[in-house]
């Protein structure tokens, strides 16, 4: 049974940092590309960042480039999203997702976590 469990969300002030974690189990983690998506109230889910399974190539949506960093630790079956200089518009439920090999910006990922809430006050 595949499980993706996000953690690290919370209520923070604008300008500070948070690190989200997503612990995966029940799948050969090193073979899976991992992505982070977010959904704000009343909005569609959107791509945030992704990391490939092989060379660790990373992809970001334009609004988080230079502020967010995705990384993975295959020994711990965990993917991280370091979020710096948070803005109120970053507030959302953040989901991690997994798909075999190739990271994409589209939401055609096979497995999804339950999400972790990030609230940013101005």
């Amino acid at each position: 049974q595949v499980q993706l469990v996000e953690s690290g969300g919370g209520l923070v002030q604008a300008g500070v940092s948070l690190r989200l974690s997503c612990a995966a189990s029940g799948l050969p983690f090193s073979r899976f590309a991992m992505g982070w998506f977010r959904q704000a109230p009343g909005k569609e889910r959107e791509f945030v960042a992704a990391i490939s399974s092989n060379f660790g190539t990373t992809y970001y949506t334009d609004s988080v480039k230079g502020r967010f960093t995705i990384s993975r630790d295959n020994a711990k079956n965990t993917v991280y999203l370091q979020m710096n200089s948070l803005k109120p518009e970053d507030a959302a439920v953040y989901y991690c997702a997994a798909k075999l090999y190739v990271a994409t910006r589209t939401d055609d990922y096979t497995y999804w976590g339950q999400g972790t809430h990030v609230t940013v006050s101005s």
Side-chain angles (χ1 to χ4, degrees):
Q1 180 182 356
V2 175
Q3 281 192 312
L4 302 177
V5 180
E6 302 97 334
S7 61
L11 168 62
V12 296
Q13 288 188 325
V16 303
S17 300
L18 272 180
R19 188 177 79 158
L20 305 183
S21 300
C22 173
S25 60
L27 76 171
F29 183 75
S30 63
R31 297 183 186 178
F32 277 74
M34 301 298 296
W36 285 99
F37 291 77
R38 66 187 180 187
Q39 187 168 20
K43 295 187 177 181
E44 293 187 352
R45 185 169 59 193
E46 65 171 348
F47 168 78
V48 177
I51 186 167
S52 67
S53 63
N54 44 16
F55 301 110
T57 306
T58 57
Y59 308 86
Y60 298 94
T61 191
D62 286 345
S63 63
V64 308
K65 284 181 181 177
R67 299 189 298 121
F68 290 13
T69 303
I70 187 171
S71 61
R72 64 190 297 157
D73 185 338
N74 288 344
K76 296 183 178 180
N77 286 4
T78 300
V79 62
Y80 304 98
L81 185 67
Q82 178 68 43
M83 306 187 295
N84 298 331
S85 302
L86 281 162
K87 303 176 180 180
E89 52 263 42
D90 294 318
V93 178
Y94 283 72
Y95 300 90
C96 75
K99 64 181 297 186
L100 272 174
Y101 302 126
V102 180
T104 60
R105 300 170 184 267
T106 54
D107 63 356
D108 57 338
Y109 282 66
T110 307
Y111 303 107
W112 291 82
Q114 294 299 307
T116 185
H117 289 256
V118 173
T119 304
V120 184
S121 62
S122 57

